[in-house]
Amino acid sequence: MNNQRTITLIQPNNRDSEPPLANRYMLSQLSIPVLSKNILQEKIFRLTLSSAYISQRAKPGNFVHIRVGSTGNPLLRRPFSIHSVDISKSRFDILFRVVGKGTELLSQANPGEVLDILGPIGNSFILPPKSKEVMLVAGGMGIAPLWFLFTHMLAKGFDPSRITFLFGAKNKRELLYLEKFKKSKVKLLVTTDDGSLGSKGLVTEAFLKDIIGGNRDHQNLAVYSCGPEMMLARMSDLAKEYGFSCQVSLETNMACGVGACWGCVVKLSDGTYQRVCADGPVFDAQKINFSKIA
Ligand code: FES
């Protein structure tokens, strides 16, 4: 059983039911064992963690904040999107690429080790009406939260033939889960930077080609995206230009991860600021001022 203590915070969560932004809830600090570690590709890891508490509460878009070392170095926790959950087995996954000291340390965690984790944190993607055409646009490790959203939609009875998944990566080795995508019967479009699989080039341009060439009703699109910041900036521009709804999950460095330090703010188009950890990480792409981020 997880050791658990609770911390009371001002925290918005879960827009499925549209609670007030300053909804107060109990955030849990948990001691969670690692169940398994999979190396999916060079430097890309998937950790499976044992927690009934998180698996039962997590919604697509939520993240966990993990203390990656036991020595206080690095001092700050690292945020990771929840990548999938299995409620029946009381476990959830995170997916990450090793990009620095924090992720390097986490990649060394082995089954049986216990991690100090806060979560689940943050808001979640708002599901569209089933009449909408869904497009999921992932760049690189942006697949992490979108895979959870995708599988959640299928579990909720969304028709896979009305879902298009666009996935861009550096090369074909980093295009994860291709077999699973095939089995799901979703329409999958892939791009790679080096042209080793799918179209060569940016996933945003494949998306643009599809929504223009596909003669789609832009008003009927529900688009979800996660990936590098410049990619999301492009998605935001396209959402404004073509008038489709687009929710993006932002990734940024976080200190407290719980809304207290204002170290993770993003500027909105109306000039106000919001915290990625506490007001996001999911935002309406049209409302973010990406030029200020860039
Ligand atoms: Fe402290 Fe977001 S990381 S407010």
Side-chain angles (χ1 to χ4, degrees):
M1 184 179 290
N2 299 320
N3 290 327
Q4 175 184 332
R5 69 189 180 94
T6 54
I7 305 167
T8 305
L9 294 160
I10 300 296
Q11 172 79 13
N13 197 16
N14 210 315
R15 292 183 294 162
D16 273 357
S17 54
E18 296 288 350
L21 269 187
N23 188 26
R24 182 176 282 266
Y25 89 129
M26 304 298 280
L27 179 67
S28 291
Q29 181 177 10
L30 305 155
S31 298
I32 294 179
V34 176
L35 284 175
S36 62
K37 173 169 70 176
N38 286 286
I39 305 170
L40 303 186
Q41 279 303 329
E42 189 186 359
K43 295 194 170 190
I44 298 178
F45 290 78
R46 186 177 61 211
L47 283 189
T48 300
L49 302 152
S50 173
S51 172
Y53 183 89
I54 289 181
S55 65
Q56 286 166 10
R57 288 165 178 76
K59 302 240 171 164
N62 290 165
F63 67 95
V64 288
H65 213 204
I66 302 180
R67 187 175 299 286
V68 293
S70 54
T71 62
N73 182 18
L75 183 63
L76 301 178
R77 292 171 183 270
R78 296 291 192 272
F80 297 91
S81 293
I82 295 175
H83 177 50
S84 66
V85 299
D86 186 335
I87 297 174
S88 66
K89 293 182 178 163
S90 298
R91 63 193 195 187
F92 70 98
D93 292 345
I94 58 169
L95 179 78
F96 61 95
R97 183 201 302 275
V98 173
V99 291
K101 184 167 186 177
T103 44
E104 176 70 42
L105 275 172
L106 190 60
S107 73
Q108 292 163 8
N110 287 312
E113 278 184 48
V114 174
L115 301 177
D116 177 340
I117 296 180
L118 294 176
I121 305 176
N123 64 4
S124 57
F125 292 107
I126 300 171
L127 295 185
K130 286 185 178 153
S131 57
K132 294 272 184 183
E133 266 193 87
V134 176
M135 299 187 80
L136 304 164
V137 188
M141 287 298 99
I143 188 72
L146 292 187
W147 179 259
F148 186 12
L149 176 63
F150 172 57
T151 53
H152 182 73
M153 283 181 169
L154 296 185
K156 291 277 179 192
F158 280 76
D159 178 356
S161 71
R162 292 183 62 78
I163 300 176
T164 302
F165 206 120
L166 295 102
F167 187 8
K170 283 185 194 162
N171 54 55
K172 67 179 180 185
R173 292 186 305 281
E174 298 195 358
L175 289 169
L176 308 175
Y177 308 143
L178 294 185
E179 285 306 313
K180 290 182 182 177
F181 277 121
K182 264 186 210 160
K183 280 185 194 153
S184 75
K185 301 198 168 44
V186 70
K187 179 181 175 189
L188 177 67
L189 298 173
V190 298
T191 65
T192 47
D193 294 351
D194 64 0
S196 53
L197 194 66
S199 319
K200 183 175 180 178
L202 299 175
V203 70
T204 46
E205 301 320 299
F207 168 80
L208 178 59
K209 201 169 157 191
D210 191 80
I211 63 167
I212 293 174
N215 233 351
R216 295 180 186 270
D217 173 4
H218 301 152
Q219 301 299 320
N220 197 42
L221 292 179
V223 181
Y224 300 85
S225 190
C226 186
E229 196 170 286
M230 293 308 290
M231 172 192 149
L232 298 185
R234 177 70 172 144
M235 291 301 294
S236 173
D237 287 344
L238 293 175
K240 288 170 191 160
E241 184 176 348
Y242 292 94
F244 55 82
S245 84
C246 182
Q247 295 172 49
V248 292
S249 176
L250 298 187
E251 295 174 347
T252 187
N253 293 329
M254 292 181 186
C256 72
V258 293
C261 73
W262 287 79
C264 64
V265 293
V266 58
K267 190 168 187 179
L268 304 187
S269 306
D270 65 5
T272 61
Y273 290 87
Q274 291 204 326
R275 299 158 297 180
V276 173
C277 67
D279 303 310
V282 179
F283 292 90
D284 179 342
Q286 297 197 31
K287 291 187 177 163
I288 297 177
N289 187 339
F290 277 100
S291 65
K292 291 299 176 192
I293 294 176

